[in-house]
Amino acid sequence: MTPADLTRTVVRAVRCAVEDGELPARAAVPARVVVERTRPGGVGEYATPVAFQVGKAAGAPPAEVARLLASRLGREPGIARVEVTGAGFLNFVLAERSAQDVVGEVRDRAGRYPAARPQVVPDDASLRAFAVRAAVRRIGRVHDGREDLGDGLAVAPVARRDGDVVAAYGVGAVLWAVLRVPAQETPSFGAWLLVQDESSELFRVRYAHDRARALLRNAALFGFGPEPGAVGPEGQVLVRVLGEHPLVLEAAAHHRAPERLVRHLVELADALLDFQYGVLPHGDEKPSAAHRARLALAEAAGTVLAGGLALLGIDATECL
């Protein structure tokens, strides 16, 4: 089960509980459930407050609703454990997913990302307001599987002050600066946006994407290509982060918070940069099924990095 599948599974559990009479008919079956990564110090991997929403409509204590749903959800394939904490939060541990499954999901989703296009920067509106609105729209379309991605990487009109910033640092860097912080915070601009080393998060994301492409080119020189398969323990962090991408897109769209995607791309880039050293054969080592599987995982990470940047309106290859 993917983290994104978990949201649909929770909705189905609520619906079945109502249909079976375990919850009163007046209990609202939500169209969408918010499931998010558990915060540090929390229980399990993922959590949802759905029992509070359902309990309010049903006139039942959230903890009682949560225990009822936990009993159902604990029997679902792909869910290793369900716990109820606090006044009614549902907490989940999912069964471990294979690299092959995660790579397959990325490949299935790859065609949904917008294609890179020349960026346009006129000068008569707020860059930040448009950047957030456009990013959320693109993220929502990709998550929902829609193909109406008409604006591509086009950037909205910007005010004179914003135009000066764009002229100084470039559209991609300025978009990164405004989208990396929550709406209630003021973005900052400065020389750090021009840094081209691993102290810069934007550089690391672009560099990791470039490394994925380089691994594919170099593997071709060795005479092999990517093929999904099992990877060892050294790839599990990358598998986990890559597997969370659909859930991150859902949360970013639901909360209108593209900064969640920004943080995810940085985490994914760092995981790929750590993983890259074991992808290609060393010395007299011959290419094996393990190398092909690692290459497929690196390729999938590169796909998500490029696609994620495109959703933010940023070209993955700019300045590299």
Side-chain angles (χ1 to χ4, degrees):
M1 177 177 294
T2 71
D5 289 338
L6 182 58
T7 63
R8 292 185 286 273
T9 301
V10 173
V11 170
R12 186 172 65 247
V14 175
R15 182 181 301 111
C16 290
V18 172
E19 292 174 352
D20 293 347
E22 294 178 350
L23 287 173
R26 65 177 180 276
V29 179
R32 175 174 290 180
V33 170
V34 176
V35 176
E36 297 183 307
R37 186 78 181 170
T38 303
R39 295 176 181 176
V43 174
E45 299 172 315
Y46 303 95
T48 178
V50 66
F52 293 88
Q53 178 182 354
V54 175
K56 182 177 181 180
E64 179 181 319
V65 174
R67 285 191 292 271
L68 185 155
L69 295 176
S71 176
R72 283 181 169 271
L73 290 164
R75 300 191 294 270
E76 290 283 345
I79 297 179
R81 190 172 76 250
V82 187
E83 293 186 36
V84 178
T85 60
F89 291 93
L90 282 166
N91 300 264
F92 304 91
V93 174
L94 300 186
E96 188 172 299
R97 300 172 63 208
S98 72
Q100 187 169 0
D101 288 343
V102 171
V103 170
E105 291 160 9
V106 172
R107 289 182 170 185
D108 290 343
R109 195 188 315 119
R112 298 184 188 177
Y113 293 114
R117 295 176 183 172
Q119 303 194 38
V120 179
V121 187
D123 61 357
D124 59 358
S126 166
L127 172 62
R128 177 167 190 174
F130 177 86
V132 171
R133 185 170 63 250
V136 169
R137 184 170 65 248
R138 287 190 291 260
I139 291 167
R141 287 170 177 168
V142 169
H143 177 263
D144 293 339
R146 289 174 284 151
E147 297 182 358
D148 178 20
L149 298 167
D151 53 7
L153 291 187
V155 175
V158 298
R160 178 179 300 277
R161 181 179 62 81
D162 290 336
D164 292 342
V165 171
V166 169
Y169 304 113
V171 173
V174 169
L175 286 174
W176 182 267
V178 302
L179 295 174
R180 66 188 286 270
V181 297
Q184 65 271 22
E185 296 184 17
T186 302
S188 63
F189 307 98
W192 62 273
L193 288 172
L194 301 176
V195 172
Q196 296 294 298
D197 62 38
E198 293 190 27
S199 66
S200 162
E201 291 182 340
L202 176 57
F203 175 85
R204 292 206 304 278
V205 171
R206 283 173 165 160
Y207 179 59
H209 167 257
D210 191 61
R211 289 301 304 146
R213 295 193 305 170
L215 289 169
L216 288 165
R217 292 194 300 269
N218 292 335
L221 297 177
F222 279 99
F224 74 99
E227 185 176 320
V231 299
E234 69 280 0
Q236 291 311 304
V237 171
L238 185 54
V239 170
R240 175 186 62 78
V241 178
L242 195 57
E244 291 176 351
H245 185 63
L247 189 62
V248 171
L249 294 182
E250 181 171 14
H254 178 79
H255 294 287
R256 301 188 60 79
E259 69 274 9
R260 295 179 180 231
L261 176 56
V262 171
R263 291 196 300 267
H264 175 70
L265 293 179
V266 174
E267 185 180 8
L268 179 59
D270 290 343
L272 176 56
L273 291 173
D274 287 341
F275 175 74
Q276 64 175 319
Y277 302 105
V279 172
L280 299 178
H282 293 274
D284 296 332
E285 193 177 15
K286 301 298 182 183
S288 65
H291 291 109
R292 291 191 288 273
R294 293 175 202 146
L295 183 63
L297 183 59
E299 178 189 42
T303 297
V304 169
L305 289 170
L309 285 173
L311 293 178
L312 300 175
I314 300 172
D315 184 352
T317 61
E318 184 183 352
C319 300
L320 283 178

